[in-house]
Amino acid sequence: MAPKSNSKTTVPDYKNIPHSHRLPVTHREVQRTFGKLSRHSLISLAQQWLAKKNRDFCRPYLLSDRDDDDEEEEDEQYTPAQSCEELQEIYKELAARKGGKREIQDRILEGDWRKGISMYQLATAEIQYLLDHPNSLRWTAKRLARIPNAKSAVLDMEVTNDSEHLPRFQAQTFMSNLSRELTPLMKAHYLLTKIKTLPMTILRVYIHDSPYSTEASLATDNSSPDSAKSVFFIWPNGSPFVYSSIANHLGQVISDDGRHLRDIVQQAIPKAFSRPSARYQLASTNFTTKSLDALLTYRGPGKSNAAAGGWSVFQDHSFSQNALDFITSQRGDAHEKKGADQETSAGATKQGPGRPKRTLEDTETSEAKRRREVAEGRFGTSAKPNDGRGLERFEVRIDDSFPQSRTSADGNNDVDTSDLSARPSNHNRRGRPSLLDRSLEEIEELGDSESWVPDVRAVFQGSHVFAGIRQLVEQGVVDGEKMPGWMTGEAGVTIGAVKEGRIRTKKGTVPGV
Amino acid sequence: MATIEDFDTEIADIHTRIATLQAHRANLTSILLSQPHLPARLQQRPVLHERKRRSAAKFVEAQSKRNLENVYRACAGVTAYKVKDPDPYAVDNGNVLGVRVEVSIGGTFIETYHVLFNRPNAKQRNILKIHKHTIPPCIPLHPLANKWLPITRKDADATMEQSLVKFGRSLRKELVSWHLRQEALEKLRTEAGLGNKATQPEEDKPDTSIGKVLNAFVSDDEESEDEEEMRTARDGAVKITDIEGDMAVRELTITWSNGNTGALRVTKDGEIDKAVFRSRDGLRESAMERKAEGRIEGLVQRLTT
């Protein structure tokens, strides 16, 4: 049963908010979250909640619940069902036929769960929305880095038969450690889910800024400004990275309060991972994006982390064929385009239904073709407009000294001047210092050198920055051969400092780990 | 009446036939080009056009190069190659040394990994630094590089020895053992009758859940559905309902139909060195734990007998 007696106690306590605590359906968070979801997602969520293993946390309003308190509601729109099985049937029928999304939303909020939406339901609904719209939030990728211990530094780097170099993720231990860190500071509801469709684990923390963990205190929304209340963390499986994001609804500002609370949770995460003799901290990886797919590509569990941009040919099999693949005629064609007739025809058919492709090639001028090949060489198989791995903002600071006599800077100038319009927007947000501001050591380093190094920054913005640069190369706006490597995205960062045409990296680090 | 669909299927059929024939022709081409005495014959015999002879010789050469490369790759497992960094600002004029690691399991080459090195130090030309790579993060690349390819600091006096061969060897060992563990886990799953992980999502389409909630602690009196199904066969043998491993397959989690769970630790060479089994009510099952220790292969047999 719903813990009714609990709602009367108002003593501050040290408990997490349980899954089964309910928010009233009129609550702002509930309304917002459910308003965003599609019909299909709402139905599948309802079916999930009605599954036997979840019923504890998502009790629907059934006929048997009615007789005790609210007998008088006879004009209700949705008659409560007899049992969960009956409800399951109803939702199955709803799923089978077409209809509006509003119908389902009303049925859930005013009918079957009129008594309130549990924290579990709200959390699963928000995660569902996140999976439906993987570009809806802005994510920052961090890395769980081991704090070097002077005593065991050599031991930490040892690779033996049973050594581990990644923090071990054990759900129960992690959750109890995390809540031990956080409960003295705030009350929170946690939902930790291993996603089936993507290789990652999501933690959603609903922050309840109150000393009480009761249902009644949840319902009273005392945070006067409309601020985001939940924070997401994602662990891609088998990698040291953590992505974090504040789940703000569209148009909702992220207040300083929200950011502060997120930082508290964020600080607790490495502590929850740490064990005696293995302490972790979160290190920045200079990577922020909205696209979950891009995150999984650049900071994910796979092969692509340290082979971005033109190096992408190494991670798919376009660079080296299978070791037992002896057929040369298809691949060799790509290099020797001017080969015999027989060979070119083999090349055209390689691209599937090749006819339209060939006619297009014929009309192409040799110059355009050369540019396309240059772009192919620089970007490899990456930076395609529709690959869903678009980075929407890429920011660099040029750290070279002022009079650039090198002719190769021409390629840059094009972009730099076009970007001047973007500068004012940069000035507007004076509030927070940019990550690109020079650190004290860097200023010191610059002071030593003779030449003047102005603070030049370039910001690239768009739906898919590197695909855009690739198109500029193909159109001849940017010289593909003289373009520095960071413009292809091969550095795998969204923010960085460029010196001598290369993104600066820390000494002694291996990229992508 | 021939409908549009009929034409479409016919066209699709022809397309697939063309594709097969082309694959066949490509195969035959490479066989022909690999003939041992072909270059000599091309030189000796008279031909109508000298240009065609030259182009034919080029193809033969390309094929023999490929054959040689493949033989090395297939036999050595770790091979090196040179590539050019197209970045005009690349260190060392864009000279890049690539190391390729082949992983073969069950008679096929299943994956190729690359590590690309550059020479950041203009003076010490034999110091290599990892530039790019395609090694997944669950492989300890950084510790390995730290051990075998230490970078000498500018202020340090003594130069550190680098050993690319040892690095390649230990990296290959890590990669192959990882794939072998994955393979072993798949085998365990099939032995336990759990079906292939890759095909599973398609099969259970009515299951709409987004994933597995890890911190949902269900109260005792209500069971999940699949557990209830199992309960009908309660008198029979208790079945394994799930075997899961983490990405690196260093940790396995086993779930039984009677609510028992087991967590096992696997070493890199596939030995189970630690195991903890608990029954529903949280009691340790030391008999099971003793049984579990040993090779990862045959774990299911050891536990079920």
Side-chain angles (χ1 to χ4, degrees):
Chain A
M1 274 314 287
K4 283 220 177 76
S5 55
N6 275 7
S7 60
K8 295 202 169 62
T9 49
T10 48
V11 190
D13 50 25
Y14 292 99
K15 282 186 290 191
N16 294 331
I17 299 170
H19 286 322
S20 53
H21 269 22
R22 287 182 296 194
L23 284 173
V25 289
T26 50
H27 194 276
R28 212 157 41 182
E29 287 288 313
V30 175
Q31 288 290 340
R32 274 222 168 96
T33 310
F34 281 76
K36 289 192 294 188
L37 286 161
S38 70
R39 176 189 164 97
H40 175 79
S41 302
L42 281 170
I43 293 176
S44 87
L45 277 170
Q47 285 172 330
Q48 250 165 271
W49 298 333
L50 292 167
K52 262 192 184 145
K53 58 182 174 191
N54 294 333
R55 267 179 220 168
D56 266 10
F57 314 131
C58 332
R59 287 185 57 80
Y61 182 77
L62 298 177
L63 202 59
S64 51
D65 297 322
R66 180 148 66 163
D67 43 18
D68 17 317
D69 27 10
D70 30 33
E71 198 102 40
E72 69 279 5
E73 282 183 52
E74 282 307 318
D75 55 338
E76 59 195 351
Q77 202 183 345
Y78 301 97
T79 39
Q82 298 281 356
S83 66
C84 286
E85 281 73 23
E86 191 194 323
L87 271 181
Q88 273 171 325
E89 279 305 311
I90 291 172
Y91 280 101
K92 209 177 266 172
E93 272 168 38
L94 284 171
R97 69 179 166 84
K98 282 201 165 66
K101 150 223 161 130
R102 192 77 213 174
E103 164 195 32
I104 311 294
Q105 190 184 336
D106 287 348
R107 174 161 193 112
I108 289 174
L109 294 182
E110 282 155 32
D112 300 326
W113 281 278
R114 67 187 81 173
K115 285 290 163 189
I117 294 294
S118 74
M119 294 307 295
Y120 181 88
Q121 285 173 292
L122 186 65
T124 44
E126 255 190 47
I127 290 175
Q128 178 74 50
Y129 179 76
L130 175 66
L131 296 177
D132 291 346
H133 305 266
N135 296 341
S136 58
L137 297 174
R138 174 171 291 279
W139 297 91
T140 307
K142 303 256 181 189
R143 185 166 59 91
L144 278 165
R146 198 130 170 200
I147 299 174
N149 186 341
K151 260 188 252 165
S152 60
V154 186
L155 209 70
D156 286 350
M157 279 298 187
E158 197 82 356
V159 185
T160 57
N161 194 22
D162 51 2
S163 68
E164 276 172 59
H165 67 292
L166 292 179
R168 175 150 282 182
F169 188 81
Q170 221 277 329
Q172 275 91 339
T173 318
F174 172 77
M175 280 315 302
S176 73
N177 283 346
L178 186 68
S179 61
R180 198 177 57 214
E181 290 286 330
L182 288 179
T183 34
L185 300 169
M186 62 174 109
K187 297 289 164 282
H189 168 257
Y190 308 95
L191 189 84
L192 190 64
T193 317
K194 195 169 179 184
I195 304 298
K196 230 190 259 166
T197 47
L198 294 166
M200 59 195 193
T201 306
I202 294 188
L203 169 70
R204 177 186 178 272
V205 183
Y206 179 91
I207 295 164
H208 178 48
D209 195 9
S210 149
Y212 313 112
S213 64
T214 58
E215 225 166 42
S217 81
L218 272 176
T220 51
D221 200 358
N222 51 0
S223 61
S224 43
D226 177 22
S227 61
K229 302 206 82 173
S230 54
V231 184
F232 279 108
F233 292 92
I234 290 184
W235 286 269
N237 297 348
S239 79
F241 301 108
V242 183
Y243 319 146
S244 72
S245 177
I246 299 178
N248 57 325
H249 299 283
L250 195 68
Q252 198 177 24
V253 284
I254 299 173
S255 62
D256 281 345
D257 259 2
R259 202 169 274 128
H260 183 65
L261 287 171
R262 179 193 59 173
D263 289 348
I264 293 177
V265 183
Q266 196 155 294
Q267 280 157 18
I269 279 176
K271 287 177 191 152
F273 266 102
S274 297
R275 297 173 281 140
S277 80
R279 299 273 160 207
Y280 289 98
Q281 63 189 3
L282 281 180
S284 161
T285 62
N286 292 337
F287 198 85
T288 305
T289 182
K290 278 187 154 182
S291 158
L292 269 183
D293 287 325
L295 277 167
L296 285 173
T297 313
Y298 288 94
R299 299 283 183 276
K303 298 165 73 180
S304 49
N305 288 352
W311 306 94
S312 56
V313 293
F314 289 97
Q315 33 141 329
D316 46 40
H317 294 277
S318 45
F319 175 73
S320 53
Q321 71 290 355
N322 192 305
L324 297 179
D325 176 13
F326 286 92
I327 293 163
T328 49
S329 50
Q330 286 174 3
R331 223 175 64 89
D333 176 54
H335 295 291
E336 307 152 33
K337 271 255 156 71
K338 291 172 203 83
D341 282 348
Q342 161 208 12
E343 278 300 309
T344 45
S345 68
T349 45
K350 189 188 78 179
Q351 292 149 349
R355 284 292 137 191
K357 182 82 189 163
R358 279 202 67 193
T359 48
L360 196 131
E361 259 171 47
D362 291 341
T363 57
E364 212 174 29
T365 63
S366 66
E367 179 57 25
K369 190 176 159 208
R370 200 189 65 85
R371 285 199 300 261
R372 199 169 47 76
E373 279 169 4
V374 167
E376 179 85 37
R378 294 306 298 275
F379 289 94
T381 50
S382 74
K384 299 274 171 64
N386 295 319
D387 59 2
R389 294 165 186 169
L391 305 181
E392 58 290 316
R393 189 183 169 85
F394 175 59
E395 206 173 343
V396 287
R397 188 189 70 214
I398 312 287
D399 259 2
D400 290 314
S401 52
F402 178 59
Q404 277 194 319
S405 50
R406 251 180 287 144
T407 48
S408 51
D410 291 350
N412 284 358
N413 285 345
D414 286 340
V415 182
D416 285 353
T417 46
S418 70
D419 211 72
L420 280 176
S421 54
R423 290 301 302 269
S425 68
N426 216 5
H427 282 289
N428 286 343
R429 24 181 224 104
R430 284 248 155 173
R432 280 187 306 143
S434 165
L435 272 173
L436 272 183
D437 289 343
R438 290 194 174 115
S439 65
L440 283 175
E441 300 120 65
E442 281 167 336
I443 292 170
E444 218 166 87
E445 196 182 305
L446 290 176
D448 294 345
S449 63
E450 303 272 294
S451 50
W452 174 54
V453 182
D455 195 344
V456 178
R457 295 177 193 190
V459 183
F460 301 82
Q461 236 165 338
S463 55
H464 192 326
V465 166
F466 292 112
I469 297 180
R470 184 177 186 149
Q471 274 170 11
L472 288 178
V473 170
E474 282 169 6
Q475 255 131 63
V477 181
V478 174
D479 186 334
E481 281 165 286
K482 290 175 179 168
M483 175 180 71
W486 51 265
M487 279 174 72
T488 66
E490 64 178 49
V493 292
T494 56
I495 192 162
V498 173
K499 181 144 196 185
E500 288 162 15
R502 297 190 298 272
I503 296 260
R504 290 177 139 192
T505 47
K506 278 199 208 109
K507 288 254 156 54
T509 51
V510 175
V513 280
Chain B
M1 268 291 280
T3 57
I4 295 172
E5 285 86 48
D6 286 339
F7 281 125
D8 276 345
T9 50
E10 209 171 308
I11 290 168
D13 281 348
I14 291 170
H15 271 305
T16 50
R17 244 179 68 204
I18 291 172
T20 359
L21 287 174
Q22 264 158 357
H24 189 57
R25 193 187 64 178
N27 212 351
L28 288 177
T29 312
S30 55
I31 291 170
L32 178 70
L33 290 175
S34 312
Q35 288 293 318
H37 302 296
L38 197 60
R41 277 188 204 168
L42 273 175
Q43 288 300 316
Q44 286 155 9
R45 299 290 156 89
V47 283
L48 226 58
H49 301 286
E50 187 57 27
R51 212 172 61 87
K52 282 199 172 151
R53 191 218 294 268
R54 259 184 278 132
S55 77
K58 218 164 77 186
F59 288 128
V60 173
E61 203 190 320
Q63 180 69 47
S64 74
K65 263 188 191 155
R66 164 69 74 92
N67 291 356
L68 189 68
E69 183 195 319
N70 278 4
V71 167
Y72 269 109
R73 283 177 58 189
C75 300
V78 184
T79 44
Y81 53 91
K82 277 194 229 165
V83 280
K84 181 97 177 134
D85 192 339
D87 185 358
Y89 298 92
V91 287
D92 192 25
N93 294 325
N95 288 324
V96 170
L97 175 73
V99 169
R100 178 167 42 197
V101 180
E102 313 280 343
V103 178
S104 68
I105 282 184
T108 50
F109 286 94
I110 54 168
E111 195 61 277
T112 309
Y113 295 95
H114 300 267
V115 185
L116 299 146
F117 299 93
N118 58 13
R119 294 179 292 194
N121 200 327
K123 275 176 236 141
Q124 293 162 335
R125 304 280 290 163
N126 50 358
I127 292 293
L128 296 172
K129 183 176 173 286
I130 293 180
H131 181 42
K132 304 277 166 188
H133 64 83
T134 65
I135 310 291
C138 61
I139 301 296
L141 182 69
H142 189 204
L144 285 176
N146 205 44
K147 188 172 181 191
W148 300 115
L149 303 170
I151 302 284
T152 317
R153 298 267 168 173
K154 275 188 187 129
D155 45 334
D157 301 326
T159 49
M160 311 269 259
E161 264 320 291
Q162 288 198 334
S163 171
L164 185 61
V165 173
K166 279 180 178 160
F167 172 78
R169 200 176 286 162
S170 45
L171 178 64
R172 177 167 186 275
K173 189 180 166 194
E174 291 285 334
L175 285 167
V176 173
S177 67
W178 176 49
H179 277 282
L180 283 172
R181 291 197 302 274
Q182 280 183 327
E183 182 80 0
L185 174 65
E186 270 317 302
K187 236 180 227 157
L188 285 184
R189 290 179 57 87
T190 33
E191 275 171 33
L194 292 172
N196 203 321
K197 235 183 203 166
T199 58
Q200 214 175 22
E202 278 86 59
E203 281 168 20
D204 53 2
K205 56 179 192 316
D207 185 7
T208 50
S209 71
I210 41 175
K212 189 176 163 197
V213 177
L214 297 173
N215 66 337
F217 306 114
V218 193
S219 61
D220 261 353
D221 47 297
E222 281 197 71
E223 293 287 310
S224 77
E225 269 162 280
D226 40 8
E227 277 177 54
E228 208 153 272
E229 282 164 29
M230 292 296 175
R231 194 175 275 184
T232 53
R234 184 164 223 183
D235 302 324
V238 188
K239 270 202 262 173
I240 292 175
T241 53
D242 198 14
I243 302 179
E244 256 189 297
D246 61 344
M247 187 85 181
V249 201
R250 299 293 307 283
E251 194 182 78
L252 301 180
T253 318
I254 303 180
T255 321
W256 275 271
S257 54
N258 60 357
N260 287 12
T261 52
L264 305 115
R265 212 175 73 171
V266 187
T267 61
K268 282 179 188 163
D269 55 7
E271 199 84 25
I272 291 167
D273 67 341
K274 289 206 175 97
V276 173
F277 286 85
R278 280 181 195 282
S279 65
R280 278 188 72 84
D281 21 316
L283 295 173
R284 288 280 288 266
E285 308 225 332
S286 42
M288 289 286 249
E289 287 169 18
R290 273 195 302 279
K291 259 199 235 170
E293 278 168 34
R295 290 295 306 170
I296 185 169
E297 295 90 5
L299 173 73
V300 171
Q301 279 99 318
R302 287 205 301 278
L303 291 178
T304 45
T305 51

